[in-house]
């Protein structure tokens, strides 16, 4: 049986992993590598599932840990910035190309929809 300490460590590892994926996503967006962004997005979905699952088993006051609270704030800010960066990238690209949606592959349209509608 897992102890609270083990569950907390699992959560911290999941949070670290998610933050690292967000940093990789930042770089992929800056480099405009859509295939890499899509791969990271899939990994982020998996990471988020693990993060949520591990969080469910923690006591309600786990966020009182200053390190975790600070890291969670960073993760949320990274996600917000990545979404804004991706939106700017597509806005710029659409200004350069009329009819962008017709030219995008289905995976590019999925990425665009994900970032422009983050409440999917």
């Amino acid at each position: 049986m897992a102890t609270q300490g083990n569950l907390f460590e699992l959560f911290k590892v999941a949070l670290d992993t998610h933050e690292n994926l967000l940093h990789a996503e930042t770089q992929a967006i800056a480099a405009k590598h859509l295939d890499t962004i899509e791969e990271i997005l899939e990994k982020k979905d998996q990471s988020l599932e693990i993060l949520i699952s591990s969080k469910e088993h923690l006591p309600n006051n786990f966020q009182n840990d200053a390190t975790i609270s600070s890291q969670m704030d960073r993760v949320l800010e990274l996600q917000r910035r990545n979404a804004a960066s991706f939106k700017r990238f597509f806005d710029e690209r659409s200004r350069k190309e009329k009819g962008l949606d017709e030219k995008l592959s289905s995976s590019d349209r999925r990425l665009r929809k994900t970032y422009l509608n983050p409440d999917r």
Side-chain angles (χ1 to χ4, degrees), residues 4-120:
Q4 287 293 341
N6 290 345
L7 293 172
F8 190 67
E9 284 303 312
L10 176 63
F11 177 80
K12 285 174 30 177
V13 167
L15 190 58
D16 287 342
T17 299
H18 201 71
E19 183 175 13
N20 290 335
L21 286 168
L22 286 165
H23 285 297
E25 182 181 53
T26 299
Q27 293 174 345
I29 292 169
K32 300 175 182 167
H33 291 161
L34 294 177
D35 291 340
T36 304
I37 295 168
E38 186 170 13
E39 290 173 20
I40 292 169
L41 187 59
E42 289 175 18
K43 290 177 183 177
K44 275 180 38 189
D45 286 345
Q46 294 169 353
S47 172
L48 193 56
E49 285 180 31
I50 294 168
L51 195 57
I52 291 170
S53 174
S54 62
K55 178 183 171 261
E56 289 175 356
H57 302 290
L58 294 175
N60 291 334
N61 66 348
F62 80 97
Q63 290 178 325
N64 292 343
D65 181 289
T67 304
I68 293 296
S69 180
S70 175
Q71 187 172 14
M72 288 175 65
D73 289 344
R74 281 194 316 271
V75 163
L76 292 172
E77 179 61 18
L78 277 168
Q79 180 60 46
R80 186 196 63 73
R81 282 192 297 182
N82 285 356
S85 294
F86 196 79
K87 182 181 183 321
R88 279 192 306 275
F89 164 61
F90 262 93
D91 287 349
E92 175 185 313
R93 190 169 162 181
S94 65
R95 282 191 305 272
K96 290 180 180 176
E97 301 176 16
K98 295 271 183 191
L100 175 64
D101 284 336
E102 292 83 36
K103 296 177 185 179
L104 291 175
S105 69
S106 62
S107 63
D108 289 350
R109 280 193 298 272
R110 178 178 162 257
L111 283 170
R112 185 173 193 272
K113 182 179 178 185
T114 298
Y115 280 95
L116 298 182
N117 302 314
D119 296 331
R120 51 182 166 127

